[in-house]
Amino acid sequence: MDVVAFFTEILKFRSITPDDDGCLKFIAEFLGDFEARFIEKNGVKNLILSKRFGDGAHLAFAGHVDVVPPGEGWQSEPFTPLMKDGFIYARGAQDMKSGVAAFVCACRDAKNFNGRLTLILTSDEEGDALFGTLEALKILKERGELPQFAVVAEPTCTGVFGDTIKVGRRGSINGKILIRGVQGHAAYPEKCVNPVHQIAPLLSRIAGHDMDAGSEFFSPSKIVITDIRGGMEVCNVTPSELGIMFNVRNSDITSADDVKNYLQSVLEGLNFELSLKQSSKPFLTDKDSKIVRAMSKAVQKISGVAPQLNTKGGTSDARYLAEFGVKVVEFGVINDRIHAVDERAGVKEVERLYLVFKELIENFA
């Protein structure tokens, strides 16, 4: 079974988070000469596949088989792959069964590799992701089998296949500010403590504020306000409190403590509460590391494109690998329809992605 045929088969599984719908078992049987370890926790299924070829480097490929719900308005049934005009349409085509198919087939066909290959697959990346890749990594660490290097096959390319390798990701800090005042009649403002009036002259120091100047691979860590609300939606009563919600996509330069300290200094003198939650941490893999150099070389050889290295986008399971000290990059097909109606991946992209991973494995000395 070639990579396109395998890709088409795994697209048929209705693997909506966290149900893998049998997809992981199918993959384990496909790689029958790899040692398989199934892990299930809190309704999440994970699969670790591993094979030792020699005593060299330990290289892993990681990905997820779960997908988001398809929604309405598709031109075809979302879990019945449609091949049309050089594309395959199905939910999960870009995010990320194309990547899974490519590295599964590349690992199956690996011959000239003097080390260990490991595949880490989960049914919970699109959800809370608490018992997916993270759980698999904990088990690998307990067994002393953590990989040195890893590739997460998320869709990374933007315009043409081969144009982007992700070497890191920004973190995400969610925050809430609650400013307390004294409610009263709008006709007697001197008897009120109006939190709206209190925050108004300070808002420009919060909204859109850059916590740092950015770096070679990261944009500035900006405070982005996502919600402001207070009052009872009437014109003659001042609010007793005002709530502000915000998010900071932070680089490795700015921490949650930096955000906390800055906001406390801005809001000094007000009666306020501030809560922060770091939902994901930033990471950056050295551009001169073995995995970045090898991946760049493989991509350029197969695609003819010199890939750019960046950290744009949201979060992925690559952050968990980085937390465990694994040198990790992300590379996959073009990302232009993930989570959308009529999600699709180019047939030639999937074939070339397989060749990129095969090239990486064969030359990862």
Side-chain angles (χ1 to χ4, degrees), residues 130-247:
L130 297 176
F131 305 106
T133 300
L134 181 60
E135 194 65 28
L137 289 167
K138 289 177 181 177
I139 290 174
L140 287 171
K141 182 178 181 180
E142 289 172 2
R143 295 171 62 96
E145 297 176 0
L146 278 174
Q148 299 162 280
F149 308 97
V151 177
V152 178
E154 290 280 5
T156 59
C157 298
T158 57
V160 295
F161 179 80
D163 64 9
T164 304
I165 297 172
K166 292 191 186 296
V167 294
R169 292 274 188 162
R170 298 175 296 175
S172 181
I173 302 169
N174 295 315
K176 294 181 181 180
I177 300 170
L178 181 65
I179 302 172
R180 300 190 184 280
V182 177
Q183 179 180 308
H185 199 297
Y188 303 96
E190 70 278 3
K191 297 181 180 181
C192 312
V193 177
N194 191 330
V196 177
H197 290 186
Q198 288 183 315
I199 196 62
L202 304 176
L203 200 56
S204 63
R205 295 171 59 188
I206 300 174
H209 175 75
D210 288 337
M211 291 295 304
D212 56 56
S215 64
E216 179 182 3
F217 290 107
F218 288 105
S219 301
S221 304
K222 187 183 297 291
I223 300 176
V224 178
I225 292 179
T226 56
D227 189 85
I228 300 178
R229 63 185 65 203
M232 298 184 293
E233 297 188 38
V234 296
C235 294
N236 60 346
V237 182
T238 65
S240 61
E241 58 185 35
L242 176 75
I244 299 174
M245 301 177 72
F246 63 91
N247 177 264

Side-chain angles (χ1 to χ4, degrees), residues 70-87:
E72 303 294 331
W74 286 67
Q75 65 175 306
S76 58
E77 206 287 318
F79 294 99
T80 301
L82 170 67
M83 187 174 293
K84 179 181 178 182
D85 300 328
F87 294 92

